[in-house]
Amino acid sequence: MKWSVEGKWIVSGLALSLLLMGIISFISYRNATQLIESGNKVKHTHEVMKSLIDIFATLTDAESGRRGYILYGERSELNRYNQAMQSLDAKIQKLQQQLADDSLQQQQLTKLKLLIAQRTKLSKQSINLKNTGKSSFNIQETLVNISNQNRSQIRDNISQMQMREEKLLEISVKYSQNNIHNRMLIEFIGTLLNFAILLGVYILLYQQLVKRQQAEAIQRTLAQEKELSELKLRFFSMVSHEFRTPLSIILGSAQLLAQSNQNFPEERKLKNLHRIQSSARLMNQLLSDILTLTRAEAGKIEFHPELLDLEAFCINLLEDFKLFSQQQHVIKFVSQSNFTHAKLDENLLYSILTNLLSNAIKYSPQQKDILLILSSEADAIIFQVKDFGIGLPSEFQQHLFEPFHRANNVGKIVGTGLGLAVVKKCLEVHQGEIYVESELGTGTTFTVRIPKDDSQNKE
Ligand code: ATP
Ligand code: MG
């Protein structure tokens, strides 16, 4: 597959955008994990602090018990001392586990353990002295002094351990804060970059779309122009072809008449004159059809509706037909309507019915009758032209009203394919419609439906 320059840009832009999104997501993920870790660290620090406070409180409790026993000899105080000392081991054990990953704290803990051991020893000595009745102030004083010293050493040790924990927590919080800040910055820059890339891709795509639309528009115009020029070509060749036959008949007959002498029979002269007349009429019809179509295309078809006596109009039309067309067919007029007048354009209606009747005559055998039926509906006038002729092939019916289209069953029957296109245009200005029913070899019925103008039509 060959990529255009824009295509390459779009693909690279999208890939870059995806990469950026991936990086941002990775950083966010890492940052979230660090935050969780930092949360765990805070929790851990609190637990260590709690353990340290607990150990110190237990030592204080044991000390109070010991003193109580020494001063007042209360057994309950001795019990208090014993209980506190018994629970101490488990607490130290717990603290050791909590500090397992910090070697510095481990060292401090070892020191603490030594101090606690020393304290235990001193307390035991003091209690033993008491038990042996040597509880006088002088004897106990040395022990008390050493004990106080040990006590302040333990306090210092514990506060050092607490400070260390606080320091670690502070470092961890600072690290998280930095991370959050960096992540926000990266996310902001990444989003901006992504936006810029997507905007660039959008602009490229839009430009491509505009280019494609322009190319399509040019192609459409070219196709239209081609179609138009083909139509024109077809039109001119058809027109020149159609004109050539009647013109050569006129020329031939005129030449014959010019060369004729007195011996030339009168009957043949008349025949030639008739041929000239009918050829000229054909040319006239052709020209008038072309004129009507071009006017209709330009929207300049003349439309002068006036009140017509429909029956009289149809009868006159049929008489004109008999007079001019020299046809052998019998055209029957049937009026099924009590609707006598309508406001229509006489010339256009004349053109519509003449074309339909001349088709009926052309495309049916002489011995077959033709019917012109006038009827009406509540809101329309209906004209029908019915023949029993060659009929229309069904596949041709969609092209029936297109100029220069003729069915393939016309044989040698002369025609240009303009008549029905003219009919259609004349009907359009009346807002009318035309339908066809036809069976090949049986006959055709054209139905013209023109809406009534209620304000002016008379029943
Ligand atoms: P023109 O009327 O311009 O002299 P035409 O009769 O060939 O030429 P249209 O009247 O437009 O042209 O008719 C188009 C085609 O429709 C005809 O060539 C013919 O094939 C078919 N057609 C029209 N009327 C009938 C009909 N009554 N019976 C059978 N075929 C018809
Ligand atoms: Mg015709």
Side-chain angles (χ1 to χ4, degrees):
M1 192 167 74
K2 215 179 164 192
W3 293 77
S4 65
V5 181
E6 282 97 337
K8 278 181 197 161
W9 273 101
I10 289 165
V11 171
S12 334
L14 285 175
L16 198 64
S17 169
L18 275 177
L19 186 72
L20 260 175
M21 267 155 56
I23 292 171
I24 293 171
S25 306
F26 178 69
I27 290 171
S28 297
Y29 171 76
R30 260 195 51 196
N31 196 260
T33 334
Q34 278 163 357
L35 276 178
I36 294 169
E37 268 174 27
S38 173
N40 286 340
K41 220 162 220 164
V42 172
K43 197 174 151 208
H44 176 260
T45 307
H46 281 136
E47 278 167 1
V48 171
M49 299 288 249
K50 218 170 105 191
S51 295
L52 286 168
I53 291 166
D54 201 15
I55 288 170
F56 192 71
T58 310
L59 285 171
T60 312
D61 200 27
E63 179 60 14
S64 305
R66 185 193 67 81
R67 275 195 193 155
Y69 179 62
I70 303 292
L71 290 177
Y72 311 110
E74 293 272 345
R75 294 294 312 173
S76 62
E77 291 297 318
L78 184 64
N79 284 344
R80 187 175 156 199
Y81 165 79
N82 284 332
Q83 272 172 10
M85 289 313 278
Q86 272 165 15
S87 69
L88 202 58
D89 270 353
K91 286 174 187 174
I92 291 171
Q93 198 73 31
K94 188 177 162 194
L95 183 64
Q96 189 151 18
Q97 280 169 8
Q98 285 168 341
L99 298 176
D101 56 351
D102 187 340
S103 57
L104 257 174
Q105 289 288 63
Q106 287 277 354
Q107 283 173 17
Q108 291 287 1
L109 184 62
T110 317
K111 258 197 229 167
L112 181 68
K113 281 201 292 199
L114 284 173
L115 287 168
I116 290 173
Q118 191 188 10
R119 178 167 199 80
T120 314
K121 203 173 151 193
L122 287 168
S123 299
K124 271 184 186 160
Q125 278 177 2
S126 166
I127 290 165
N128 285 341
L129 283 173
K130 164 78 183 166
N131 287 342
T132 51
K134 295 173 187 163
S135 58
S136 73
F137 178 74
N138 288 339
I139 298 170
Q140 291 281 346
E141 194 190 3
T142 346
L143 279 178
V144 168
N145 285 340
I146 302 171
S147 185
N148 281 346
Q149 207 182 342
N150 169 276
R151 195 176 143 82
S152 72
Q153 280 175 335
I154 288 177
R155 191 188 292 121
D156 287 351
N157 185 284
I158 286 180
S159 42
Q160 272 174 18
M161 288 177 85
Q162 281 177 334
M163 268 161 61
R164 161 95 183 144
E165 279 307 311
E166 273 167 8
K167 186 93 195 152
L168 285 176
L169 184 64
E170 200 182 313
I171 292 169
S172 158
V173 168
K174 203 159 195 125
Y175 181 67
S176 301
Q177 276 175 347
N178 280 345
N179 268 340
I180 291 173
H181 184 257
N182 289 344
R183 170 188 160 182
M184 276 164 62
L185 197 72
I186 288 169
E187 275 180 359
F188 177 71
I189 295 170
T191 313
L192 263 185
L193 273 174
N194 240 339
F195 181 74
I197 291 168
L198 289 178
L199 190 75
V201 169
Y202 171 79
I203 291 170
L204 279 173
L205 279 175
Y206 182 75
Q207 277 175 348
Q208 270 202 335
L209 185 81
V210 170
K211 265 190 208 163
R212 194 177 311 138
Q213 277 174 348
Q214 281 171 348
E216 277 172 8
I218 291 170
Q219 250 177 353
R220 260 202 308 277
T221 321
L222 281 175
Q224 274 170 1
E225 273 174 15
K226 198 176 160 208
E227 203 179 315
L228 201 72
S229 72
E230 274 172 12
L231 198 76
K232 273 185 197 162
L233 210 70
R234 219 165 112 199
F235 177 81
F236 286 125
S237 63
M238 184 65 102
V239 168
S240 44
H241 179 261
E242 290 307 318
F243 270 75
R244 193 174 293 144
T245 322
L247 264 179
S248 47
I249 293 172
I250 291 171
L251 280 173
S253 300
Q255 205 172 0
L256 264 177
L257 285 174
Q259 288 165 357
S260 64
N261 51 28
Q262 282 155 355
N263 298 336
F264 201 73
E266 200 61 27
E267 192 191 322
R268 284 192 67 189
K269 275 186 191 168
L270 270 176
K271 201 177 167 191
N272 277 306
L273 274 173
H274 276 140
R275 288 174 77 185
I276 292 172
Q277 266 181 341
S278 67
S279 296
R281 208 174 296 123
L282 187 73
M283 285 170 69
N284 188 35
Q285 182 59 44
L286 192 64
L287 277 176
S288 110
D289 281 355
I290 291 169
L291 200 66
T292 314
L293 279 179
T294 32
R295 274 199 189 133
E297 286 303 333
K300 285 185 180 159
I301 200 159
E302 284 185 23
F303 181 53
H304 303 295
E306 54 191 75
L307 210 56
L308 292 183
D309 179 339
L310 296 174
E311 279 190 18
F313 177 85
C314 289
I315 292 164
N316 283 339
L317 173 80
L318 292 191
E319 270 171 16
D320 283 359
F321 241 86
K322 275 184 201 149
L323 206 67
F324 292 117
S325 65
Q326 306 151 359
Q327 40 84 20
Q328 312 296 317
H329 291 83
V330 177
I331 308 177
K332 288 182 183 162
F333 174 57
V334 182
S335 176
Q336 300 172 341
S337 165
N338 52 359
F339 189 82
T340 55
H341 287 76
K343 207 164 180 194
L344 300 169
D345 185 297
E346 193 175 354
N347 287 337
L348 297 182
L349 185 64
Y350 193 88
S351 186
I352 293 168
L353 294 180
T354 320
N355 269 308
L356 293 179
L357 283 169
S358 65
N359 278 352
I361 292 166
K362 264 204 292 192
Y363 302 115
S364 55
Q366 287 186 358
Q367 64 276 16
K368 299 276 183 182
D369 288 353
I370 289 161
L371 296 179
L372 171 63
I373 306 163
L374 171 66
S375 61
S376 64
E377 284 176 2
D379 57 349
I381 312 144
I382 317 279
F383 295 96
Q384 281 182 302
V385 177
K386 194 175 178 73
D387 68 55
F388 303 93
I390 61 171
L392 286 162
S394 56
E395 69 278 2
F396 172 72
Q397 293 192 15
Q398 55 178 324
H399 302 294
L400 197 58
F401 300 100
E402 291 171 20
F404 302 120
H405 276 85
R406 304 196 72 210
N408 54 13
N409 63 335
V410 291
K412 287 188 174 167
I413 306 169
V414 189
T416 57
L418 284 177
L420 288 178
V422 169
V423 169
K424 185 99 177 151
K425 293 289 174 199
C426 295
L427 268 172
E428 273 169 15
V429 281
H430 280 99
Q431 323 266 300
E433 290 161 322
I434 183 162
Y435 313 101
V436 66
E437 284 168 76
S438 182
E439 207 175 313
L440 210 57
T442 309
T444 307
T445 304
F446 278 98
T447 303
V448 167
R449 193 176 184 281
I450 304 177
K452 279 183 199 169
D453 182 348
D454 285 337
S455 59
Q456 289 156 328
N457 292 350
K458 284 185 194 165
E459 285 278 352

